[in-house]
Amino acid sequence: MRCLAEFAGSALAIFPLLIVYTLSQLIYQYAGVTPIILVTVLSYGAVAALFGKVSGAQLNPAVTVAAMLTSKTGWIDGIAYIVAQVLGGIAAAALYTIVLPTSENVTGQMWFTVVVNGFDDASRSSSALSGAGISFGVMLAVAVELIAGLIVVGAAVSTLREDGTADSSHAWATAVAYGLGAALTYPVTGAALNPARATGVAIMAHGKGLTVEPLSQLWVFWIAPVFAAALVAVAMIANQMVAAAAAKTSA
Amino acid sequence: MRCLAEFAGSALAIFPLLIVYTLSQLIYQYAGVTPIILVTVLSYGAVAALFGKVSGAQLNPAVTVAAMLTSKTGWIDGIAYIVAQVLGGIAAAALYTIVLPTSENVTGQMWFTVVVNGFDDASRSSSALSGAGISFGVMLAVAVELIAGLIVVGAAVSTLREDGTADSSHAWATAVAYGLGAALTYPVTGAALNPARATGVAIMAHGKGLTVEPLSQLWVFWIAPVFAAALVAVAMIANQMVAAAAAKTSA
Amino acid sequence: MRCLAEFAGSALAIFPLLIVYTLSQLIYQYAGVTPIILVTVLSYGAVAALFGKVSGAQLNPAVTVAAMLTSKTGWIDGIAYIVAQVLGGIAAAALYTIVLPTSENVTGQMWFTVVVNGFDDASRSSSALSGAGISFGVMLAVAVELIAGLIVVGAAVSTLREDGTADSSHAWATAVAYGLGAALTYPVTGAALNPARATGVAIMAHGKGLTVEPLSQLWVFWIAPVFAAALVAVAMIANQMVAAAAAKTSA
Amino acid sequence: MRCLAEFAGSALAIFPLLIVYTLSQLIYQYAGVTPIILVTVLSYGAVAALFGKVSGAQLNPAVTVAAMLTSKTGWIDGIAYIVAQVLGGIAAAALYTIVLPTSENVTGQMWFTVVVNGFDDASRSSSALSGAGISFGVMLAVAVELIAGLIVVGAAVSTLREDGTADSSHAWATAVAYGLGAALTYPVTGAALNPARATGVAIMAHGKGLTVEPLSQLWVFWIAPVFAAALVAVAMIANQMVAAAAAKTSA
């Protein structure tokens, strides 16, 4: 039941992101990054509230890695969660592919261009920057996804109980953290934030003729958040050890 | 008193939506979908907070259907709530018709064009898409309204107590879910989300000479959310049965 | 001390509104009503959180009228609060006048044009509508300010304790309600919502050569919210009586 | 550990602000001040939630001054916090300098122009105002930063416990207050709000050839918030003395 919740939750959180990122970019271009921030806050917030009591609404392999490292989620459960999350991401991207209409002028390639995660020529700002002689490359992409990952994973894991389910502030903290992450990363990478989201889109966009094949850049969107998860886990464990030592000293 | 609360709450939640959807579209067009998202969050959030302790602030026939299926609201109460909600939607649309000024150039048809819910030629994006050879048809409309319905009904019903009144997180969860639903559905259908809202506007816009007669597409805005309500009810009952079985096994 | 809190709170809530309404209109015009909504949410939310424990952070004569009618605030206290709130509104408008620079091209009249509350030729949308042969007149102004007043006063008073101080949801409910009110009323009246705010600006803008003398339209921004306050008080008292009768019957 | 939390928290809160202020200004210019407000709410909200239990997430020398004056933080701890916060601000600005790409056309000067805090020719609105014969000078800069400081410091300090750690409403109150402060000050000063943020950027932008050397205007962004902190501390102490006197009288 908890794996089903992670699958359904990931799909339900990611599908609206893909649709809204696409349409706000193509139809309401003047509004800029604002609808991107808002829908990310609302999507992860709503889904974390819905599934928090069932599975902890981890929704993100990086969050689950940190939950495993801090012993809030067991290793077998954690691996099953990650599989469920990635399948949820693929399901969301597949549904996105099915429901958006195409024509001679509007191809699947066009829809995917605005939702794949990437850098350099695949950065969301690449056309805006093309005349300026610069590009948003792998270093900036890693920097923003790593810092966003620290905030997202930190917020999500620090609001899980010892048994891996959500405490009462989990939905709120998750929503705020993903919204901040989207603001920080969207102009650079298109806001991956979640390896399950990046993977689902990269798989469905494979072979659609995008300028940059998204699977070739996917590694960044796994390495950066998982490394962030490791840093968060180390910080949480160190903080607990210091607190325990302080308690022992004062006792 | 509770039916009165559902009537007044539905009217008070829906009237600001109609006015703001209209004026932000016609006067602040560059702002795009952002004010739509914000006013939807604020409107359902404020009204759910005001009436949650009285009637549960269900405000939406699909929410009430799910509340009846999960035995949180009795069948007689539920049907009375639905009637009250639809009357509230009609009252909001009627007040909208009365207060907005018209002239030779600015007709009632023009005002209603931006608030009716529809698809194909009645989609909110139909003019933006007209040159591209595609349209947002019934399949995409059903997909986004159904997924938005899952989130809205799930958020609203899972935060009702056993007696159908709101728990302390009801207003917050409702606000976030409707905001996400508006972001997801507005570019396609004009964000119905609530059969009472779609019905009120469709009735008042009837015979005003719109390109597509809104009553002819209204079925989508009942079928999709009510089907979502049934799915939510099944998921909640299944989750309870699994939890009960697990409790029995471990006992 | 509580009157001082109402004075300081009203001034601190209203001054940012005046500055942000002005600058977002004159410098960031494409952003439309979005910054107006956000700053209204944040301003009343922050100030209600700061002063809620001291005086209830009523901040608005209409809220205080409803608090007096429902016996949450005594009559003498209430009148002193209203005087303090209006003085706070005047102080905010005076500080606004002092700090904004003027020149031959940029006169005080220009600054005030975008923050006075009005209708017809003084409506915020009057220039946008001028070519269309319609105007947003007194009926629409009363309708939107009255409905916004119901929501604002309802949210603020229903979250006051019996002794007139704020309960834990007061700041949140107030913030959401004023934000919704701003979304609903800004394109019509410039979002008065609070007689203290409308009065402060109207007094300071008096004799500055505006197209419509703001004091001549000020009555609407007292009558509508105070009438809303009376309706809210009647609804709250009726609800209590019904609940009490139900309790007696079941006993 | 608490100083480390103040250092890491300040850097994590400030780095996203710098990146998002820059990119939303240069890439999404039509969106205006909206993304600025949102990212400020989300950044301080997320970081205050992450570090509130460790160090109180004061994150701002002005907040720490008020916490020292009201005896919530000791003097030695407080000075260490301030040093940690300023180092965090410098680290954020240094990382900003490292990760943003430059070319012949896009220099470091260009990136810094949109994030330094200043007034007169360094005001964020100076180019918009240049044709109008006015400028946003030191008086307006002090006025908006002082009033924003009252709200930010008031919100942050009144939600600290007696031992200087955060209570359950600290993150929410902090987020709302900084968001309001950003809305109020961004068009004038570029939204300093926090001496650590202004100092970090001013140091890293030193000698980059900006029109106005940012270190020459930095005093405003220390004086205004620290004076606000003193006013908040006086108000909190006066309020406690009045409450204590009232308790004695009624006893």
Side-chain angles (χ1 to χ4, degrees):
Chain A
M1 202 70 191
R2 289 171 298 152
C3 286
L4 202 63
E6 287 294 322
F7 169 77
S10 299
L12 271 180
I14 293 170
F15 177 74
L17 296 184
L18 301 184
I19 293 286
V20 176
Y21 281 33
T22 300
L23 298 184
S24 73
Q25 187 69 17
L26 297 180
I27 296 183
Y28 306 110
Q29 52 185 315
Y30 289 109
V33 78
T34 306
I36 304 296
I37 300 174
L38 291 178
V39 73
T40 311
V41 168
L42 297 170
S43 191
Y44 281 104
V47 171
L50 278 178
F51 292 100
K53 287 169 208 157
V54 183
S55 66
Q58 304 187 356
L59 304 176
N60 183 329
V63 173
T64 300
V65 165
M68 293 190 294
L69 291 173
T70 55
S71 307
K72 294 188 172 186
T73 298
W75 290 93
I76 295 170
D77 274 7
I79 288 164
Y81 279 17
I82 291 174
V83 171
Q85 291 155 358
V86 173
L87 290 176
I90 294 171
L95 185 57
Y96 173 86
T97 314
I98 293 168
V99 297
L100 283 180
T102 53
S103 72
E104 265 182 50
N105 302 328
V106 181
T107 59
Q109 178 198 335
M110 215 182 101
W111 293 125
F112 272 110
T113 298
V114 293
V115 289
V116 289
N117 300 119
F119 47 89
D120 282 330
D121 288 349
S123 165
R124 285 299 313 123
S125 299
S126 67
S127 61
L129 299 176
S130 60
I134 58 170
S135 72
F136 285 165
V138 67
M139 191 179 74
L140 182 59
V142 168
V144 294
E145 289 282 348
L146 180 63
I147 287 175
L150 291 173
I151 293 163
V152 163
V153 174
V157 175
S158 68
T159 54
L160 292 179
R161 295 211 178 84
E162 290 310 306
D163 66 349
T165 59
D167 75 16
S168 64
S169 62
H170 180 70
W172 186 88
T174 299
V176 169
Y178 278 100
L180 176 59
L184 177 60
T185 60
Y186 183 74
V188 180
T189 63
L193 303 176
N194 182 345
R197 176 248 190 270
T199 304
V201 171
I203 288 175
M204 297 307 299
H206 180 67
K208 292 269 203 269
L210 299 182
T211 320
V212 178
E213 195 54 70
L215 285 174
S216 72
Q217 298 187 335
L218 185 58
W219 60 274
V220 163
F221 306 110
W222 277 91
I223 298 289
V226 170
F227 186 59
L231 290 178
V232 168
V234 167
M236 288 179 70
I237 293 167
N239 189 38
Q240 279 176 345
M241 285 170 63
V242 170
K248 199 174 266 181
T249 310
S250 70
Chain B
M1 202 71 191
R2 289 171 298 153
C3 286
L4 202 62
E6 287 294 322
F7 169 77
S10 300
L12 271 180
I14 293 170
F15 176 74
L17 296 184
L18 301 183
I19 293 287
V20 176
Y21 280 34
T22 299
L23 298 183
S24 73
Q25 186 69 17
L26 296 180
I27 296 182
Y28 306 110
Q29 51 185 315
Y30 289 108
V33 77
T34 305
I36 304 296
I37 299 173
L38 290 177
V39 74
T40 310
V41 168
L42 297 170
S43 190
Y44 281 104
V47 171
L50 278 179
F51 292 100
K53 287 171 208 154
V54 183
S55 67
Q58 304 188 356
L59 303 176
N60 183 329
V63 173
T64 301
V65 165
M68 293 190 293
L69 292 173
T70 55
S71 307
K72 292 188 173 186
T73 298
W75 290 92
I76 294 171
D77 275 6
I79 288 165
Y81 279 19
I82 291 174
V83 171
Q85 291 155 357
V86 173
L87 291 176
I90 294 172
L95 185 57
Y96 173 86
T97 314
I98 292 169
V99 297
L100 284 179
T102 53
S103 72
E104 264 181 51
N105 302 327
V106 182
T107 59
Q109 179 198 334
M110 215 183 102
W111 294 126
F112 273 110
T113 298
V114 293
V115 289
V116 289
N117 300 118
F119 47 88
D120 282 330
D121 289 349
S123 165
R124 284 303 310 126
S125 298
S126 66
S127 61
L129 299 177
S130 60
I134 58 169
S135 73
F136 285 166
V138 67
M139 193 181 71
L140 182 58
V142 168
V144 293
E145 289 283 347
L146 180 63
I147 287 175
L150 291 173
I151 293 164
V152 163
V153 173
V157 175
S158 68
T159 55
L160 292 179
R161 297 211 177 85
E162 290 308 307
D163 67 350
T165 60
D167 75 16
S168 65
S169 62
H170 180 70
W172 186 88
T174 298
V176 169
Y178 277 100
L180 176 59
L184 177 59
T185 60
Y186 183 74
V188 181
T189 63
L193 303 176
N194 181 345
R197 175 249 190 270
T199 304
V201 171
I203 288 175
M204 297 308 297
H206 180 67
K208 292 270 204 266
L210 299 182
T211 319
V212 177
E213 195 54 68
L215 286 173
S216 73
Q217 298 188 335
L218 184 58
W219 61 275
V220 164
F221 306 109
W222 277 91
I223 298 288
V226 170
F227 186 60
L231 290 177
V232 168
V234 167
M236 289 180 69
I237 292 168
N239 189 37
Q240 279 176 344
M241 285 169 64
V242 170
K248 199 174 267 179
T249 310
S250 69
Chain C
M1 202 71 190
R2 289 171 299 153
C3 286
L4 202 62
E6 287 294 321
F7 169 77
S10 300
L12 271 180
I14 292 170
F15 177 74
L17 296 183
L18 301 183
I19 294 286
V20 177
Y21 280 34
T22 299
L23 299 183
S24 73
Q25 187 69 17
L26 296 179
I27 296 182
Y28 306 110
Q29 51 186 315
Y30 290 108
V33 77
T34 306
I36 304 296
I37 299 174
L38 290 177
V39 74
T40 310
V41 167
L42 297 170
S43 190
Y44 281 104
V47 172
L50 278 179
F51 293 100
K53 287 171 206 154
V54 184
S55 68
Q58 304 189 357
L59 304 176
N60 183 329
V63 172
T64 301
V65 165
M68 292 191 292
L69 291 173
T70 54
S71 305
K72 294 187 173 186
T73 299
W75 290 92
I76 294 170
D77 274 6
I79 288 164
Y81 279 19
I82 290 174
V83 170
Q85 291 155 358
V86 172
L87 290 176
I90 293 171
L95 185 58
Y96 172 88
T97 313
I98 293 168
V99 297
L100 283 180
T102 53
S103 72
E104 264 182 52
N105 302 327
V106 181
T107 58
Q109 178 197 336
M110 216 184 101
W111 294 125
F112 273 110
T113 298
V114 293
V115 289
V116 289
N117 300 118
F119 48 88
D120 282 330
D121 288 350
S123 165
R124 284 302 311 126
S125 299
S126 66
S127 62
L129 299 176
S130 60
I134 57 170
S135 72
F136 286 165
V138 67
M139 192 181 72
L140 182 59
V142 168
V144 294
E145 289 282 348
L146 180 62
I147 287 175
L150 291 174
I151 293 164
V152 164
V153 174
V157 175
S158 67
T159 54
L160 292 179
R161 295 209 178 84
E162 289 309 307
D163 67 349
T165 59
D167 74 17
S168 64
S169 62
H170 180 70
W172 186 89
T174 298
V176 169
Y178 277 100
L180 176 58
L184 177 60
T185 60
Y186 183 74
V188 180
T189 62
L193 302 175
N194 181 344
R197 176 248 190 269
T199 303
V201 172
I203 287 175
M204 296 308 296
H206 180 69
K208 292 270 202 266
L210 299 182
T211 319
V212 177
E213 195 53 68
L215 286 173
S216 72
Q217 297 187 334
L218 185 57
W219 60 276
V220 163
F221 306 109
W222 277 90
I223 297 289
V226 170
F227 186 59
L231 290 177
V232 167
V234 167
M236 288 180 70
I237 293 168
N239 189 38
Q240 279 177 343
M241 286 171 64
V242 170
K248 199 174 266 181
T249 309
S250 70
Chain D
M1 202 72 191
R2 288 171 299 153
C3 286
L4 203 64
E6 286 294 322
F7 169 77
S10 300
L12 272 179
I14 293 170
F15 177 74
L17 297 184
L18 302 183
I19 293 286
V20 176
Y21 281 34
T22 299
L23 298 184
S24 73
Q25 187 68 17
L26 297 179
I27 296 182
Y28 307 110
Q29 52 185 316
Y30 289 109
V33 78
T34 306
I36 303 296
I37 299 174
L38 291 177
V39 74
T40 311
V41 168
L42 297 171
S43 190
Y44 281 104
V47 171
L50 278 178
F51 293 100
K53 287 170 208 156
V54 183
S55 68
Q58 304 188 356
L59 304 176
N60 184 329
V63 173
T64 301
V65 166
M68 293 190 293
L69 291 174
T70 55
S71 306
K72 294 187 172 188
T73 299
W75 289 93
I76 295 169
D77 274 8
I79 288 163
Y81 279 18
I82 290 173
V83 170
Q85 291 155 358
V86 172
L87 290 177
I90 293 171
L95 185 58
Y96 172 88
T97 313
I98 294 167
V99 298
L100 283 180
T102 53
S103 72
E104 264 182 53
N105 302 326
V106 181
T107 58
Q109 177 197 336
M110 214 184 102
W111 294 125
F112 273 110
T113 298
V114 293
V115 290
V116 289
N117 300 118
F119 47 90
D120 282 330
D121 288 350
S123 165
R124 284 302 311 125
S125 299
S126 66
S127 61
L129 298 177
S130 60
I134 58 171
S135 72
F136 285 165
V138 67
M139 192 182 71
L140 182 58
V142 169
V144 294
E145 290 281 348
L146 180 62
I147 287 175
L150 291 174
I151 293 164
V152 164
V153 174
V157 176
S158 67
T159 55
L160 293 179
R161 295 210 178 84
E162 289 309 305
D163 67 350
T165 59
D167 75 16
S168 64
S169 61
H170 180 70
W172 186 88
T174 298
V176 169
Y178 277 101
L180 177 59
L184 177 59
T185 60
Y186 183 74
V188 180
T189 63
L193 302 176
N194 181 345
R197 174 248 191 270
T199 303
V201 172
I203 287 174
M204 297 308 297
H206 180 69
K208 292 269 202 270
L210 299 182
T211 320
V212 177
E213 196 52 70
L215 286 173
S216 72
Q217 297 188 335
L218 184 58
W219 61 274
V220 163
F221 306 109
W222 277 90
I223 298 288
V226 170
F227 186 59
L231 290 177
V232 167
V234 167
M236 288 180 70
I237 293 168
N239 189 38
Q240 280 176 344
M241 285 171 63
V242 170
K248 198 175 266 182
T249 310
S250 70

